[in-house]
Amino acid sequence: MTGVASARIKAEAYALGFDLVGVTTLGPMETAPAFREWLAKGHAGTMGYLERGADKRDDSRRVFDGAVSAVVVAMNYGGTQPSGPIARYARGRDYHDVIVDRLNELLSRIRDVIAPGVNGKPYVDTGPILERDLARRAGLGWFGKNTNLINPDLGSFFFIGSLLLDVDLAPDEPFATDHCGTCTRCLQACPTQAFDGPGVLDATKCISYLTIELRDAIPLALRERIGGLVFGCDICQEVCPWNVKFSRDVTDAELQPTPAVASSTPVELLGLSEEGFRARFRHSPVTRAKRKGLARNAAVALGNTGSADTMSDLQRALQDAEPLVREHALWALERIAVRHAPEDR
Ligand code: B12
Ligand code: SF4
Ligand code: SF4
């Protein structure tokens, strides 16, 4: 197909509310060797699914039979709201659902008006694709030293989605320039010093991994560095000058923060029952941590930032059905006790 088809597909995608749209051809991924090296260094920790999909990540044509092109989209989730215990990306409806639904709508419009009979499959963090690589290749931005894909007009507070198609489309130029320059703000600001160098993240030290992906105890050496964060971390994006200047409010109706989620406090999160957890986080990305993981994280946040008043909540958590929660609550109580101990005179 021609560049005209690409242009029409992009116009349909913008009409559906995506903030950035690019088209690329599929094939061997430029950063696949870096991904392999990253895995070999153990930086993926317990995220075994990354290792399992490694062959497909080497070459994006392997992801879906017959796939040759991709429409890659970005969707702003907002960087202007204040930081809080729950990272910005997780304050609204689950982005997987929102973006997959919209990419399916794009697919049916392509079938209806541009290319009848085309086959396609949407991906949003839902398959073995190096999404940042594919997005850079489609012209959407560069790899920041904090590893996030940054766009010069939007910053990095956006999701990436891809619609893989079995038709040839005229591709956009890959994003070829790097706009980090000599800046190292993100590397310096990371509370756990999780970067193994510019552009390389040791996920096992990242607060996002520790609070979302890790199922076991949070390593003692890292607990204090987590501060008051409970789910995810935005620090290396918040300090980035491209976000300071260009991040936007969330305008998409479906990605608006859910008030009960966005306003959650660590005390509330520590005390949620399974039922309360399900009710508050229905259709939210936070469900990934499960009630047990979120209560564990809330205990750590209270250990770091809670007042003496929160000790009664932590004492109640010593009766939690989950040993993981009890252990972290005990750690937190000891930390608060030390913080509020009368000073030696
Ligand atoms: C595993 C994963 C994580 C892990 C590991 C993150 C990581 N940096 O590797 C954890 C749980 C820590 C995580 C955290 C977050 N994640 Co995440 N995550 C993923 C996932 C599923 C795979 C990423 C991956 O393959 N990592 C392996 C490493 C090697 O790849 P990479 O870090 O992406 O780096 C690429 C480039 O930087 C480049 N590269 C490699 N080496 C080098 C060296 C140099 C010098 C340079 C410049 C570049 C470079 O190649 C790499 C591979 O393509 C993707 C979805 C997907 N399928 O791609 C989402 C994804 C990357 N995550 C996303 C988000 C939003 C987040 C968080 C912001 C959530 C939060 N607020 O807590 C944080 C950001 C933390 C950070 N600084 O990256 C978005 C990022 C959007 C964007 N604008 O970049 C994605 C694309 C999901 C989506 N569909 O929107 N995530
Ligand atoms: S998300 Fe937070 S912990 Fe992870 S690398 Fe960025 S600043 Fe560090
Ligand atoms: S903070 Fe600086 S070095 Fe880090 S990603 Fe942003 S511009 Fe690049």
Side-chain angles (χ1 to χ4, degrees):
M1 279 216 224
T2 62
V4 177
S6 287
R8 286 178 67 193
I9 290 174
K10 284 165 72 173
E12 290 290 345
Y14 281 117
L16 284 167
F18 293 117
D19 295 286
L20 303 170
V21 186
V23 171
T24 187
T25 49
L26 302 179
M29 299 307 286
E30 204 178 301
T31 62
F35 176 71
R36 293 270 181 183
E37 195 180 321
W38 184 80
L39 284 180
K41 282 187 168 168
H43 289 339
T46 57
M47 296 183 288
Y49 69 93
L50 292 170
E51 186 106 46
R52 285 192 292 278
D55 283 345
K56 289 188 174 164
R57 282 180 165 83
D58 284 345
D59 186 326
S60 47
R61 284 170 305 197
R62 294 183 193 149
V63 176
F64 147 66
D65 235 1
V68 286
S69 325
V71 181
V72 188
V73 299
M75 212 164 164
N76 165 44
Y77 59 81
T80 47
Q81 332 85 291
S83 51
I86 296 183
R88 291 169 179 79
Y89 89 96
R91 294 179 190 170
R93 215 187 119 200
D94 195 328
Y95 63 98
H96 302 95
D97 301 341
V98 173
I99 301 177
V100 165
D101 283 357
R102 230 172 271 193
L103 288 173
N104 274 324
E105 175 58 28
L106 177 62
L107 177 60
S108 54
R109 289 194 189 182
I110 296 172
R111 282 188 182 134
D112 287 349
V113 296
I114 304 167
V118 69
N119 226 339
K121 215 169 167 193
Y123 289 90
V124 182
D125 212 347
T126 45
I129 300 179
L130 296 174
E131 293 180 339
R132 287 165 169 158
D133 190 333
L134 205 65
R136 191 200 65 82
R137 190 175 165 128
L140 302 193
W142 77 95
F143 303 133
K145 287 179 192 171
N146 61 13
T147 78
N148 287 289
L149 197 83
I150 308 177
N151 178 275
D153 297 317
L154 185 58
S156 64
F157 286 110
F158 59 80
F159 300 116
I160 297 170
S162 312
L163 178 63
L164 272 54
L165 296 168
D166 66 354
V167 283
D168 281 316
L169 292 172
D172 286 301
E173 283 297 315
F175 200 99
T177 47
D178 177 305
H179 299 269
C180 282
T182 55
C183 174
T184 53
R185 284 194 208 182
C186 52
L187 309 182
Q188 283 160 7
C190 175
T192 55
Q193 290 296 292
F195 293 101
D196 188 23
V200 183
L201 177 66
D202 178 354
T204 66
K205 294 184 186 158
C206 174
I207 294 168
S208 183
Y209 167 85
L210 297 170
T211 57
I212 302 171
E213 300 292 331
L214 183 70
R215 300 282 167 243
D216 304 326
I218 296 177
L220 282 168
L222 295 175
R223 287 187 196 176
E224 286 183 31
R225 313 268 182 88
I226 292 175
L229 300 179
V230 177
F231 186 89
C233 171
D234 286 331
I235 293 172
C236 59
Q237 296 192 85
E238 284 164 353
V239 299
C240 177
W242 293 94
N243 285 326
V244 171
K245 198 153 177 204
F246 295 109
S247 59
R248 305 179 190 168
D249 292 338
V250 200
T251 47
D252 193 275
E254 286 194 289
L255 288 178
Q256 291 302 318
T258 311
V261 172
S263 65
S264 296
T265 65
V267 165
E268 286 166 8
L269 299 175
L270 179 70
L272 284 178
S273 62
E274 291 290 348
E275 207 178 37
F277 175 81
R278 276 197 300 276
R280 184 174 301 211
F281 296 112
R282 188 168 293 132
H283 307 303
S284 155
V286 175
T287 49
R288 187 163 177 87
K290 304 202 164 58
R291 201 278 311 172
K292 167 171 99 165
L294 205 66
R296 171 201 65 183
N297 302 343
V300 171
L302 288 176
N304 292 330
T305 61
S307 65
D309 289 351
T310 63
M311 291 177 91
S312 55
D313 299 285
L314 285 161
Q315 259 144 6
R316 255 193 306 281
L318 295 178
Q319 309 301 319
D320 194 285
E322 293 291 344
L324 184 76
V325 178
R326 299 202 293 270
E327 187 268 309
H328 287 72
L330 187 61
W331 175 86
L333 279 166
E334 285 165 4
R335 286 261 304 147
I336 297 180
V338 169
R339 234 183 7 259
H340 292 279
E343 278 177 33
D344 283 343
R345 287 170 198 278

